[in-house]
Every structure is written in structure tokens, then in C-alpha cells.
């Protein structure tokens, strides 16, 4: 057996194994995940992983025959699926439509324009479309990393905090490897045995990692994609130490109104309460039902904002002043948080309340 044949055999093992693992993972998402948005996006991303391995396996095209049309569709939309799935895992209260859906559609259309219509034609539009499409490919990867990393400090779920790091390494390195290869390596060189083996091994490691976490963490709140605040646990902790610590947290927030402090962090609240950060995170999540620190603070801040905006005597206070007084550093985050919880902008809410009074 020649060296090339040995590499082909090893590649076939990892390629078919990864295809199977991604396929099983897709079934698990559809079967076990209660949040259907996460279920469908997870399955889409998983099947796209299988499709990519089939599309890049030269010997598999003839085997799948006419089914390649559907497989290629999954292959071409894989980056979109992974990006959207990543957002559902690390951005609570996420609404995919219309912003993210439109970005995904634009990315897909640019890809088809680049690959199917312009590449190799020498058209004046070939290079500009290629550059924009390539920038979007890298941009989606950068955004996934940013979203996974940026929210880590405020995350109250320890399992998700750990998963963020694993996800960044596994997803980002694999996505970056594929994107770099397809952007900078000549297409004729990408069908060589060493490149194909490197690709199949990388995808196998990604499939195995995601399957391990998907199977073992599917009952954890973050992986099920629950986007709303969980119902508060009205029963006080049985442990007297936990009861005391929880009362201390609630006193600092409700009585001392620490939520009004601009830029309040978990570390600062833990310091005020005399608690380790990990204990503070666990208490707020387990007994008050919040998944991230920003949601915890916004609950109190938006409630206070609603009271202020409903008072006739405060009707001339600028919205910006209300936001700053409640601890927001700027108007944008306040407007988004307020509309997310009330369905109205602060101005609309004030107008409605004053009209009804």
C-alpha cells in the first residue's frame, strides 16, 4: 500500500466517522431539545457539518448522485447555521429576525454569486464580490468569538462559562481553518490527500467535542436555549448560610439600591456582599432564576424606569436622564432593555401611561 493510499484510508475513516457523528447529533437536537429554535438551528448546523465533509470528499459525489443538490445546499449554508446557533447559545433573549436573518441571507447570496456566477469569469464584479464575501466569512467567525467571550463575565451559569471556552477553541479553530484554506489555498491543491486528511481529522474532533457537550449538557438551561428569565424559586435555601447570603444580596439590591450604580459588576457586588464570585453566581441563578447578571440588574432597573415614566410629576424628565439615573452608561442599552421587557420604547411607554392616567 502506497503512502497516498494509506492517507486515503485514514481520511475515509475520520471522514465517515465525522459524517455519522454529525448526523446523530442532528437527530439529538431535533428529538431532545425543547426550544425549537435551538433544535432546528442545532440540527441545521450538524447536518451542514456532514454535508461539508461529503462535498469536499471527491469520491463521495458519485455515490450520492442527485442527492448532492440538497447536500450542497446544506454545505453552502453551514457557516450561517453555525453562526446563528452560536448566537442562540450565548445571547439570552435573542431575536433572530430580522437583523441576523437578513445578514445570513446576504451572506448566502454573495457566496452563490461568487462561486456559481462570477468566479473565473474575469468580470469586473468578480474581485469586489470575492473580497466582500471573504470579509463576511471572517466577520462571522470574529462575531462568534466576540459573543462567546464578551458575555463570559456576566454569565451566571458555570456550565456555560466553561462551554464558552471550549466552544471558542473548537468552533473557531475549525471554522478559521476551513475559511483560510478555501480563501487562500488554490482549489487544485485542496484535493490533495494531506489537505483532505487534515480537514477530516479537524471536523472529526469538532464533531466529537460538540457531541460530548450536546449529549451531556442537553438538560442544562443554556443548551436548551431558554431565552426568558426562569421563574424565581420562592422556597428559601435550606442551608442557613445560603439563606443568609441570599438575604444579603437582596438587601444590597432592593434596600441599598446597588443596582443604580453605573457599571456594577459581579465582582463589585460579590465584594459588597462578602462572597466569592462563583457563590454569588450560583445563588442568583439557582434561587432567583436569572441566567446572566445584566438580566438580573435590568429587572430592577426597568421596574424603576416604569415607575418613573408613569408619574405625571416626572413627565418632563428627559429619557436620557432617567437612563443615567438608573445606572445605564448610555441611552442605547436602556432603550433595548426597556423594549425587550415591555414591548415599547421608553417614550412610547410614557406617552401611553400618561394618556391612560
Amino acid at each position: 500500500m502506497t503512502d497516498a493510499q494509506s492517507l486515503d484510508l485514514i481520511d475515509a475513516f475520520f471522514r465517515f466517522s465525522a459524517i455519522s457523528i454529525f448526523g446523530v447529533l442532528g437527530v439529538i437536537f431535533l428529538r431532545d431539545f425543547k426550544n425549537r429554535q435551538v433544535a432546528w438551528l442545532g440540527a441545521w448546523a450538524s447536518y451542514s457539518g456532514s454535508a461539508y465533509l461529503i462535498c469536499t470528499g471527491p469520491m463521495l459525489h458519485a455515490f450520492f448522485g442527485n442527492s448532492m443538490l440538497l447536500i450542497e445546499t446544506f454545505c453552502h449554508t453551514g457557516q450561517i447555521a453555525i453562526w446563528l446557533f452560536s448566537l442562540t447559545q450565548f445571547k439570552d433573549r435573542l431575536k433572530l429576525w430580522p437583523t441576523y436573518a437578513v445578514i445570513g441571507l446576504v451572506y448566502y447570496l454573495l457566496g452563490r454569486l461568487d462561486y456559481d456566477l462570477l468566479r473565473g469569469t474575469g468580470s469586473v464584479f468578480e474581485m469586489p464580490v470575492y473580497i466582500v464575501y471573504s470579509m463576511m466569512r471572517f466577520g462571522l467567525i470574529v462575531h462568534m468569538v466576540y459573543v462567546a467571550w464578551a458575555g463570559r463575565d456576566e454569565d451566571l451559569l458555570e456550565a456555560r462559562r466553561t462551554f464558552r471556552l471550549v466552544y471558542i477553541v473548537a468552533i473557531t479553530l475549525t471554522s478559521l481553518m476551513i475559511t483560510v484554506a478555501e480563501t487562500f489555498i488554490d482549489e487544485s491543491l485542496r484535493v490533495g490527500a494531506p489537505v483532505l486528511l487534515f480537514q477530516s481529522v479537524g471536523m472529526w474532533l469538532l464533531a466529537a467535542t460538540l457531541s460530548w457537550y450536546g449529549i451531556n449538557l442537553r438538560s442544562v438551561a443554556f443548551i436548551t436555549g431558554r431565552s426568558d428569565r426562569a421563574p424565581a424559586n420562592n422556597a428559601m435555601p435550606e442551608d442557613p448560610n445560603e439563606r443568609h447570603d441570599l438575604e444579603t444580596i437582596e438587601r444590597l439590591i432592593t434596600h441599598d439600591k446597588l443596582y443604580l450604580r453605573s457599571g456594577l459588576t459581579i465582582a463589585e457586588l460579590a465584594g459588597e456582599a462578602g462572597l466569592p464570585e462563583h457563590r454569588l453566581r450560583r445563588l442568583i441563578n439557582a434561587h432567583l432564576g436569572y441566567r446572566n447578571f445584566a438580566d438580573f440588574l435590568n429587572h430592577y432597573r426597568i421596574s424603576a424606569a416604569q415607575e418613573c415614566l408613569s408619574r405625571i410629576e416626572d413627565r418632563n424628565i428627559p429619557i436620557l436622564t432617567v437612563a443615567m439615573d438608573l445606572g445605564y452608561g448610555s441611552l442605547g442599552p436602556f432603550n433595548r432593555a426597556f423594549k425587550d421587557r415591555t414591548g415599547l420604547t421608553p417614550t412610547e411607554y410614557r406617552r401611553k401611561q400618561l394618556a391612560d392616567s
Side-chain angles (χ1 to χ4, degrees):
M1 182 180 293
T2 64
D3 291 342
Q5 289 175 323
S6 298
L7 291 179
D8 287 340
L9 186 60
I10 298 172
D11 170 67
F13 169 78
F14 282 105
R15 188 172 296 272
F16 282 107
S17 296
I19 290 172
S20 301
I21 295 172
F22 276 125
V24 171
L25 186 59
V27 171
I28 291 173
F29 275 112
L30 291 175
R31 186 192 67 184
D32 295 347
F33 288 69
K34 295 180 180 179
N35 183 289
R36 301 318 295 168
Q37 177 174 271
V38 172
W40 286 107
L41 287 176
W44 180 13
S46 299
Y47 294 141
S48 295
S50 293
Y52 178 80
L53 288 163
I54 294 171
C55 289
T56 54
M59 303 298 294
L60 296 176
H61 289 213
F63 176 79
F64 284 96
N66 294 332
S67 300
M68 283 303 300
L69 182 61
L70 176 61
I71 292 172
E72 286 175 353
T73 301
F74 274 97
C75 183
H76 296 322
T77 59
Q79 187 64 55
I80 304 171
I82 294 171
W83 174 59
L84 293 178
F85 177 72
S86 301
L87 298 185
T88 63
Q89 294 305 291
F90 302 121
K91 287 179 72 71
D92 296 324
R93 297 178 177 272
L94 179 69
K95 297 177 181 178
L96 295 179
W97 181 262
T99 305
Y100 298 112
V102 170
I103 292 174
L105 179 61
V106 170
Y107 173 82
Y108 173 75
L109 294 176
L110 280 173
R112 302 291 36 86
L113 189 61
D114 176 36
Y115 280 102
D116 299 340
L117 297 177
L118 297 176
R119 186 163 296 189
T121 63
S123 168
V124 67
F125 298 107
E126 179 181 0
M127 187 53 66
V129 169
Y130 170 76
I131 292 174
V132 173
Y133 175 62
S134 298
M135 289 177 63
M136 284 196 72
R137 294 190 74 178
F138 285 104
L140 293 183
I141 296 173
V142 171
H143 188 237
M144 285 193 297
V145 175
Y146 172 76
V147 169
W149 181 258
R152 188 171 183 271
D153 287 341
E154 293 193 340
D155 205 330
L156 299 177
L157 295 165
E158 286 298 331
R160 185 166 66 173
R161 280 168 54 80
T162 301
F163 183 70
R164 285 176 185 270
L165 299 179
V166 174
Y167 196 86
I168 288 172
V169 173
I171 290 288
T172 304
L173 287 182
T174 305
S175 300
L176 194 61
M177 175 189 71
I178 292 172
T179 303
V180 168
E182 294 185 351
T183 304
F184 299 109
I185 297 179
D186 187 85
E187 189 171 353
S188 61
L189 299 176
R190 296 204 300 266
V191 297
V195 175
L196 292 176
L197 177 59
F198 182 68
Q199 174 193 81
S200 61
V201 171
M203 292 294 286
W204 184 90
L205 290 172
L206 175 62
T209 301
L210 292 183
S211 294
W212 172 260
Y213 275 86
I215 292 170
N216 287 280
L217 298 179
R218 64 182 183 272
S219 61
V220 178
F222 82 87
I223 203 72
T224 62
R226 186 174 58 203
S227 58
D228 296 324
R229 173 179 172 264
N233 185 356
N234 293 324
M236 291 295 286
E238 294 183 3
D239 187 322
N241 291 325
E242 287 195 352
R243 247 192 336 265
H244 173 74
D245 292 340
L246 194 60
E247 289 170 354
T248 299
I249 295 170
E250 292 183 316
R251 175 180 55 78
L252 289 170
I253 294 296
T254 58
H255 182 267
D256 297 350
K257 297 186 183 300
L258 213 60
Y259 65 87
L260 298 177
R261 181 185 297 180
S262 180
L264 179 67
T265 65
I266 290 180
E268 291 174 343
L269 181 57
E272 294 281 352
L275 297 172
E277 282 187 47
H278 69 86
R279 184 175 177 85
L280 178 69
R281 294 178 197 274
R282 186 176 61 78
L283 287 170
I284 295 177
N285 174 245
H287 298 291
L288 299 181
Y290 296 92
R291 301 174 65 214
N292 65 74
F293 192 62
D295 199 25
F296 171 65
L297 293 180
N298 283 334
H299 172 73
Y300 297 97
R301 289 174 174 176
I302 300 305
S303 294
Q306 288 177 279
E307 292 181 12
C308 177
L309 295 174
S310 299
R311 291 194 293 263
I312 295 179
E313 59 270 25
D314 293 335
R315 65 186 180 279
N316 293 320
I317 298 178
I319 299 296
L320 177 60
T321 302
V322 175
M324 301 297 282
D325 288 345
L326 291 172
Y328 290 96
S330 62
L331 191 57
F334 171 63
N335 283 337
R336 288 191 294 272
F338 193 94
K339 188 170 184 178
D340 183 53
R341 283 156 181 77
T342 66
L344 301 171
T345 66
T347 301
E348 292 169 342
Y349 183 86
R350 169 182 271 174
R351 188 183 300 119
K352 182 178 184 301
Q353 292 298 310
L354 294 181
D356 293 342
S357 62

